[in-house]
Amino acid sequence: MFLLCKVLTKHSYVKTEIKKRFFYEKATVVCVKSINPPDLSEVVKMKRHESFSLFNRKHLERAHILIRILMGMPDVESFFAACVYARDRLNTHLFVYAVSVAVYHRNDTKNVVLPSNVQVLPHLYVNNKVFAPLKEELGVIPEKFRNPVENTNGPTASDLDIEHRVAYWREDLGLNLHHWHWHLVYPFGFTEADLPVVNKDRRGELFYYMHQQIVARYNFERLSNQLARVRRLNDFKEPIMEGYYPKLHNMATGRDWPSRQPFSFWRDLNREKSTDEVIIDVLQVHRWRDVIMNAISDQRLLKNDGTYVSLNSEQGIDYLGNIIEASILSVNFNRYGDLHNSGHMMMGYIHDPDYRYLEDVGVMGDNSTAMRDPAFYLWHAYIDDIFVAHKELLAPYTQAELNFDGITVQEITVKVDNGRDNEFSTYFEQHTIDINKGLDYLPRGSSPILISHLQHAPFTFNIQVNNSGAERNGTVRIFMAPREDERNEDFVFRHQRRLFIELDRFVVTLKNGSNLIKQPSKFSSVTIPFEQIFSADERQNNKTNYCKCGWPDYLLIPKGNAEGLPADLFVMVSDAQKDFEPGKYLPTVTGEKECKPAPEYCGLRGEKYPDKRAMGYPFDRLPRAGVSKLEQFLTPNMFVQKVDIKFDSKAKANSLKV
Ligand code: CUO
């Protein structure tokens, strides 16, 4: 037994040895509960100054040992003591990941809100050019006179690389924070002992849907910037034309994150001499892909116990999500392997597959950084294709299944604040955020950086619905897709359906007769607001960590272009009685102070996914025979409005500090 103490802020209790080491002028020693030291002998094999990668099975195994230890602590005081004991012994990134997963999943910490990860590990998000001027400011300029350092000081590429046109989106801090948080809420686990944090309702399907929406949104953003839809990496031998030079510092290794030359290609990974010990053959990934594609053609999966599970059902996608990712809920890991995670590894070590240059993993190897890289989208567009191959074998929805008898959607209008109807307005906006929590420089104190991000003018959907029957509840589903393809010709529906991005989903009561529904954009159940993403304050009450998972509100609408990018805004009202368990509707967001959940992409803590329909409904399956245009797909409970997305290139500065 031993006593653990945590250094805080009062002078008198400082132990000499702590003072000597950390040079604290003012500090206190806070004693924490005495516990038996947890066995970290396996976890410490991940060295403090190595690069941690969640897709690396060795690293994952070690992270999950710590997660199990932390989940197993009998009370919150013991949990805290174990965290303090582990903190200085372990790799920082591994520690932050494991503690965050445990805080998410323990019942007694569900109201604890961790600070935004950009405040904890800023090096994973912020351009490395920020840190030298920031050090200068901290060392020389008194706190109240410090100017924010611009994160955009050093772009990651020049316009010679056409992919750089969408770097503002790929490298957005809130976007990458969403991805980090999503994977904290939905870890894929290492052994069955991890089921308590992995086993959630429809988690395989949500893996498919959340990433499908990322690819659809990326394509929308590309079309806004005169780029073709992203190429799919369906040939693992083809060169990756897209290079990436992340300009990120790796705090653990003291080096910068490795880059990828254009025209690199996958090679067998044989890094046995590296501490990451990654060994994967390209052919192995091929085999996993083939066996999965064969299972899709057969519409059944072979389980571990020799029996089969059918894919020809609404639940098929959930099984498929778990075997493709792969999570420990895979019905047969030995057979279907580790396809998606291995793709991240192949991309992540592409610059040094046999460790001859002693290089660490690239940004594709980590959830916090992967979405910055164009390669992420090549890979996920292909992963999405596999899911679509399965979905296309399911029977199309009939008109009767899609319709909601007696309900007619007559109109949807987008009312834009200070703007024109049906014309979304986008622009760039700047904010100051403080990253001092994640910096170890002395003296400490306010460390402001200026970030720039896409934004849209607030708007309200006005939807006119007629109900010819008795009062009932309807689920309003709002999507948008680009109307024109790369040739400026109208999309055929078969392709356009894959580009629909979900903007909102909510339940309303429809009285008999005419109903005008007004839904403000800030209440979208897809998004969370800026302050919720970047808040550094971990002491807020009545909030849970699920609050940090959600699409950034400011990225709800794609950029569009100066002329106005034509898009189709789609609304459907379906029968809420069929969509939801009785009384288990989507949470209604009414105020601005509450923790705003974003259940569409993140689910709800401790509850079933709050919509029984297939995720992506009604665009998740091929249309019925004879439908080749969106207009032909519509039933009376649906409506399409032509809209434009107009981008204003004059940045509107905003001095909001978080
Ligand atoms: Cu979220 Cu590939 O899963 O990154």
Side-chain angles (χ1 to χ4, degrees):
M1 302 288 277
F2 66 100
L3 199 65
L4 294 162
C5 294
K6 182 174 165 42
V7 179
L8 284 182
T9 52
K10 222 175 179 185
H11 184 69
S12 52
Y13 304 109
V14 178
K15 283 185 177 172
T16 318
E17 62 275 21
I18 295 176
K19 196 173 175 186
K20 260 194 236 153
R21 185 166 171 207
F22 292 104
F23 305 103
Y24 279 104
E25 287 299 318
K26 291 178 178 178
T28 191
V29 175
V30 173
C31 297
V32 298
K33 186 172 177 179
S34 175
I35 56 169
N36 286 320
D39 178 6
L40 300 178
S41 54
E42 194 55 37
V43 193
V44 292
K45 288 181 184 164
M46 174 84 216
K47 302 286 181 229
R48 278 176 68 77
H49 298 293
E50 279 177 47
S51 193
F52 175 68
S53 166
L54 256 185
F55 299 107
N56 177 321
R57 295 198 66 78
K58 274 272 168 239
H59 295 183
L60 183 73
E61 178 184 8
R62 289 162 187 162
H64 271 283
I65 292 171
L66 181 59
I67 291 169
R68 276 175 237 142
I69 289 170
L70 297 178
M71 289 296 292
M73 286 292 145
D75 50 56
V76 77
E77 292 78 19
S78 310
F79 167 70
F80 182 59
C83 290
V84 173
Y85 178 74
R87 172 64 187 93
D88 287 337
R89 292 171 165 80
L90 301 181
N91 178 281
T92 301
H93 197 161
L94 179 152
F95 173 81
V96 171
Y97 174 73
V99 171
S100 306
V101 171
V103 167
Y104 266 99
H105 291 87
R106 286 180 63 96
N107 271 333
D108 53 7
T109 52
K110 69 180 179 191
N111 291 327
V112 174
V113 177
L114 295 171
S116 166
N117 206 37
V118 74
Q119 267 99 18
V120 179
L121 299 171
H123 302 75
L124 294 174
Y125 303 89
V126 173
N127 193 299
N128 56 12
K129 281 255 183 186
V130 161
F131 296 106
L134 203 55
K135 261 187 192 171
E136 269 179 14
E137 289 275 329
L138 283 167
V140 180
I141 313 286
E143 201 157 0
K144 63 181 174 186
F145 297 116
R146 281 176 202 155
N147 286 322
V149 178
E150 280 198 42
N151 187 39
T152 45
N153 259 354
T156 46
S158 71
D159 290 341
L160 205 52
D161 175 14
I162 58 169
E163 294 296 324
H164 186 60
R165 288 182 203 163
V166 281
Y168 68 89
W169 193 89
R170 280 189 275 105
E171 295 166 2
D172 182 87
L173 273 63
L175 183 75
N176 283 282
L177 284 166
H178 162 68
H179 192 230
W180 153 260
H181 280 285
W182 191 92
H183 282 281
L184 289 184
V185 176
Y186 295 99
F188 48 85
F190 189 76
T191 72
E192 290 204 347
D194 302 319
L195 280 173
V197 298
V198 176
N199 194 7
K200 297 193 178 74
D201 182 48
R202 294 166 72 183
R203 57 103 49 222
E205 183 177 8
L206 196 51
F207 170 78
Y208 143 72
Y209 183 56
M210 203 286 289
H211 291 87
Q212 183 273 333
Q213 286 285 289
I214 286 176
V215 175
R217 285 178 170 277
Y218 185 58
N219 279 330
F220 214 146
E221 216 62 47
R222 294 177 68 86
L223 290 164
S224 298
N225 290 282
Q226 292 195 298
L227 289 171
R229 278 166 287 173
V230 66
R231 213 162 38 84
R232 305 153 301 147
L233 192 79
N234 52 3
D235 175 357
F236 300 165
K237 290 183 182 155
E238 85 182 71
I240 317 289
M241 296 182 295
E242 296 81 357
Y244 189 61
Y245 295 76
K247 316 282 191 291
L248 283 183
H249 183 65
N250 190 326
M251 194 171 51
T253 60
R255 298 172 178 163
D256 282 349
W257 284 75
S259 306
R260 184 185 60 255
Q261 292 271 0
F263 296 96
S264 305
F265 53 91
W266 283 17
R267 284 172 291 171
D268 295 342
L269 303 182
N270 187 5
R271 295 173 56 93
E272 62 181 6
K273 296 292 179 196
S274 159
T275 49
D276 54 59
E277 298 173 44
V278 173
I279 299 173
I280 312 171
D281 281 0
V282 180
L283 261 180
Q284 176 68 73
V285 188
H286 268 271
R287 278 194 290 272
W288 288 330
R289 177 189 69 178
D290 292 345
V291 77
I292 290 170
M293 291 309 287
N294 287 338
I296 289 172
S297 306
D298 296 342
Q299 289 191 285
R300 63 180 192 172
L301 297 171
L302 179 63
K303 291 168 67 176
N304 278 334
D305 61 9
T307 61
Y308 286 93
V309 60
S310 171
L311 287 177
N312 188 15
S313 73
E314 202 96 293
Q315 290 71 42
I317 189 75
D318 195 42
Y319 288 111
L320 210 49
N322 283 319
I323 66 159
I324 288 175
E325 186 181 5
S327 83
I328 50 157
L329 295 176
S330 168
V331 295
N332 194 338
F333 187 82
N334 288 343
R335 181 173 180 83
Y336 300 111
D338 198 15
L339 179 66
H340 155 265
N341 296 331
S342 298
H344 275 272
M345 289 284 84
M346 284 290 167
M347 295 289 196
Y349 290 113
I350 204 167
H351 54 279
D352 193 13
D354 56 10
Y355 196 54
R356 73 180 62 184
Y357 301 110
L358 314 178
E359 284 288 312
D360 301 310
V361 71
V363 292
M364 269 293 274
D366 190 74
N367 288 332
S368 330
T369 52
M371 284 187 72
R372 301 170 66 90
D373 187 338
F376 176 93
Y377 305 90
L378 307 186
W379 183 232
H380 271 280
Y382 179 64
I383 292 292
D384 194 49
D385 258 22
I386 303 176
F387 289 119
V388 168
H390 155 68
K391 284 274 185 176
E392 291 194 345
L393 292 178
L394 300 180
Y397 299 115
T398 64
Q399 274 176 291
E401 284 171 331
L402 291 170
N403 200 17
F404 186 7
D405 278 345
I407 300 295
T408 310
V409 180
Q410 297 166 316
E411 192 179 13
I412 180 168
T413 307
V414 187
K415 294 280 181 190
V416 180
D417 285 14
N418 303 317
R420 293 163 54 166
D421 285 359
N422 297 326
E423 187 179 279
F424 292 104
S425 169
T426 65
Y427 46 89
F428 280 108
E429 188 173 79
Q430 291 184 318
H431 283 272
T432 306
I433 62 170
D434 200 311
I435 56 170
N436 78 81
K437 276 179 196 290
L439 302 180
D440 296 332
Y441 314 142
L442 287 174
R444 300 176 72 116
S446 164
S447 314
I449 61 165
L450 192 65
I451 62 168
S452 176
H453 60 79
L454 188 64
Q455 180 60 286
H456 56 82
F459 59 86
T460 300
F461 293 120
N462 281 10
I463 308 161
Q464 193 70 50
V465 182
N466 192 66
N467 176 8
S468 65
E471 183 172 294
R472 51 207 155 142
N473 290 322
T475 312
V476 181
R477 300 166 188 276
I478 304 175
F479 290 82
M480 183 164 66
R483 194 183 317 137
E484 296 176 356
D485 63 15
E486 294 83 351
R487 298 181 171 93
N488 294 332
E489 293 171 4
D490 282 2
F491 270 112
V492 293
F493 184 68
R494 190 187 169 116
H495 292 155
Q496 191 190 26
R497 76 180 183 91
R498 293 184 62 180
L499 295 168
F500 273 100
I501 58 171
E502 187 160 13
L503 299 184
D504 205 349
R505 195 190 310 169
F506 54 95
V507 175
V508 288
T509 301
L510 298 164
K511 63 181 189 308
N512 175 261
S514 180
N515 295 267
L516 175 63
I517 302 159
K518 294 187 176 188
Q519 176 76 350
S521 53
K522 66 182 178 187
F523 290 167
S524 164
S525 49
V526 173
T527 60
I528 57 174
F530 185 92
E531 296 74 14
Q532 206 165 303
I533 301 167
F534 290 100
S535 164
D537 188 353
E538 68 275 31
R539 289 158 303 174
Q540 299 163 86
N541 291 323
N542 305 319
K543 296 194 171 184
T544 79
N545 266 307
Y546 257 64
C547 293
K548 294 278 188 198
C549 184
W551 197 258
D553 168 71
Y554 58 79
L555 290 183
L556 179 63
I557 303 299
K559 182 177 159 207
N561 59 32
E563 299 78 43
L565 186 82
D568 284 323
L569 181 70
F570 169 92
V571 59
M572 171 185 197
V573 179
S574 59
D575 186 349
Q577 232 183 344
K578 291 184 183 161
D579 300 343
F580 296 92
E581 306 283 349
K584 289 269 184 186
Y585 293 143
L586 288 162
T588 315
V589 179
T590 51
E592 289 177 34
K593 292 212 170 132
E594 62 196 292
C595 155
K596 182 176 175 301
E600 267 70 346
Y601 295 170
C602 293
L604 291 171
R605 190 181 196 279
E607 294 184 30
K608 283 189 165 184
Y609 188 80
D611 181 358
K612 285 192 276 183
R613 300 280 184 184
M615 296 181 198
Y617 177 79
F619 296 116
D620 63 307
R621 296 188 185 187
L622 277 179
R624 60 193 179 274
V627 172
S628 60
K629 291 281 177 195
L630 176 60
E631 290 70 23
Q632 297 166 333
F633 180 69
L634 305 182
T635 47
N637 57 328
M638 302 178 187
F639 193 87
V640 170
Q641 173 65 49
K642 290 181 168 31
V643 294
D644 292 316
I645 309 171
K646 210 162 193 176
F647 172 68
D648 178 358
S649 59
K650 290 179 215 131
K652 296 184 184 175
N654 185 328
S655 60
L656 184 70
K657 282 189 178 181
V658 175

